[in-house]
Amino acid sequence: KSYNPLDHMPDPGIDLPTIEQGLYHSSSNPYIASIVSHWPKSSRTYNVKNGATPFLVNGDHRTGIPFIVNGVEDQEHVRVWTQSRFDGEYLALDIAFPVNVEGEFVHYLDKPVYLILHGLNGGSHEEYVKDLVNRRRAENS
């Protein structure tokens, strides 16, 4: 059994995980059940057994700490403003294309396009967004 520091310390009264790790889904939905049946459990469960560190005990730690200690270079993108037909508000879309050998932005039709939704706070400058963009660009996506 691997060492888990949480087993050796008193309850600090903070946000510690109380729900078992795993993918929670409706098994009555045949589409979702089919996806889950083809998805290895080790690929959808982030725990110590599957490579997670025991020192990052909740989702906030697992999301934030890696980007605090490992900076990601800024990613160049093209900002496009579009107006909503629904309420007239403007929305900024930051589009990050791969760069070819001439240094030009390109899109390869045989590569996927990713839509990254950063949530209510943040934007394209967030470390996790820059990391995803950087990794996908390395694949020419």
Side-chain angles (χ1 to χ4, degrees), residues 12-30:
I14 59 174
D15 184 21
L16 293 176
T18 58
I19 300 172
E20 286 295 315
Q21 299 100 337
L23 175 67
Y24 290 85
H25 61 92
S26 171
S27 56
S28 64
N29 180 324

Side-chain angles (χ1 to χ4, degrees), residues 84-130:
S84 167
R85 289 188 222 164
F86 177 73
D87 61 7
E89 290 290 326
Y90 283 88
L91 174 72
L93 301 174
D94 292 338
I95 305 169
F97 294 99
V99 179
N100 65 15
V101 293
E102 290 84 27
E104 303 166 325
F105 288 129
V106 294
H107 170 62
Y108 299 100
L109 296 176
D110 62 332
K111 298 293 184 174
V113 173
Y114 297 89
L115 179 61
I116 306 167
L117 304 174
H118 59 75
L120 294 176
N121 58 352
S124 300
H125 63 281
E126 295 294 336
E127 296 296 317
Y128 65 93
V129 173
K130 294 189 306 186

Side-chain angles (χ1 to χ4, degrees), residues 22-100:
L23 175 67
Y24 290 85
H25 61 92
S26 171
S27 56
S28 64
N29 180 324
Y31 180 69
I32 298 298
S34 173
I35 292 171
V36 171
S37 72
H38 291 90
W39 194 0
K41 187 172 184 177
S42 63
S43 295
R44 58 184 157 97
T45 304
Y46 189 68
N47 58 23
V48 174
K49 180 180 168 188
N50 294 314
T53 173
F55 303 104
L56 302 179
V57 298
N58 65 30
D60 292 333
H61 297 152
R62 292 175 182 167
T63 301
I65 298 296
F67 299 109
I68 290 172
V69 298
N70 301 301
V72 180
E73 64 187 54
D74 288 337
Q75 298 296 305
E76 191 174 353
H77 58 266
V78 176
R79 176 161 283 180
V80 177
W81 289 92
T82 184
Q83 187 174 19
S84 167
R85 289 188 222 164
F86 177 73
D87 61 7
E89 290 290 326
Y90 283 88
L91 174 72
L93 301 174
D94 292 338
I95 305 169
F97 294 99
V99 179
N100 65 15

